């Protein structure tokens, strides 16, 4: 199983972006997805998670400007950010909890995609 994230780049403050993360390979089901971000020198912080059949849950800082959604066909998760701010500059990572076989559930990380927001 591999996760491929894309959509990063250079953005203007006040703008918006959509990141996507797709899962490829052989697996049974994507049970949960999440987005994280990391600034050099800081720990990786959770933005939000979306479990199958549930509504998304967001970290406090992400309420209002961040939206996580999912497309099951293919297995892709999205992160929309509006009203971008320079402090959103970070490497963004996707995470999926995937059932690879009956009774086998593993967590996978995407490779990270750089988002830079200029003022």
């Amino acid at each position: 199983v591999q996760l491929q994230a894309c959509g990063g780049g250079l953005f203007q403050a006040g703008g918006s972006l959509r990141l996507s993360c797709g899962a490829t390979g052989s697996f049974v089901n994507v049970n949960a997805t999440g987005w994280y971000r990391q600034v050099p020198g800081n720990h990786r912080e959770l933005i939000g998670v979306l479990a199958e059949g549930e509504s998304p849950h967001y970290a406090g800082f992400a309420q209002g400007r961040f939206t996580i959604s999912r497309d099951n066909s293919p297995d892709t998760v999205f992160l929309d950010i509006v009203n971008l701010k320079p402090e959103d500059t970070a490497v963004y990572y996707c995470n999926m909890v995937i059932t690879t076989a009956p009774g086998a559930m593993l967590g996978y990380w995407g490779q990270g995609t750089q988002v830079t927001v200029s003022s």
Side-chain angles (χ1 to χ4, degrees), residues 27-49:
F27 55 89
V28 176
N29 188 51
V30 176
N31 302 97
T33 62
W35 285 95
Y36 295 72
R37 68 183 186 182
Q38 187 170 21
V39 176
N42 289 3
H43 65 278
R44 191 171 297 186
E45 65 176 349
L46 173 68
I47 296 170
V49 295

Side-chain angles (χ1 to χ4, degrees), residues 76-117:
T76 303
V77 60
F78 304 97
L79 176 67
D80 292 290
I81 311 175
V82 299
N83 190 22
L84 285 164
K85 302 178 180 182
E87 51 263 42
D88 293 325
T89 296
V91 178
Y92 284 72
Y93 296 90
C94 60
N95 175 273
M96 292 189 185
V97 177
I98 293 176
T99 298
T100 55
M105 193 180 297
L106 297 173
Y108 295 86
W109 288 96
Q111 83 282 11
T113 184
Q114 175 71 47
V115 170
T116 302
V117 182

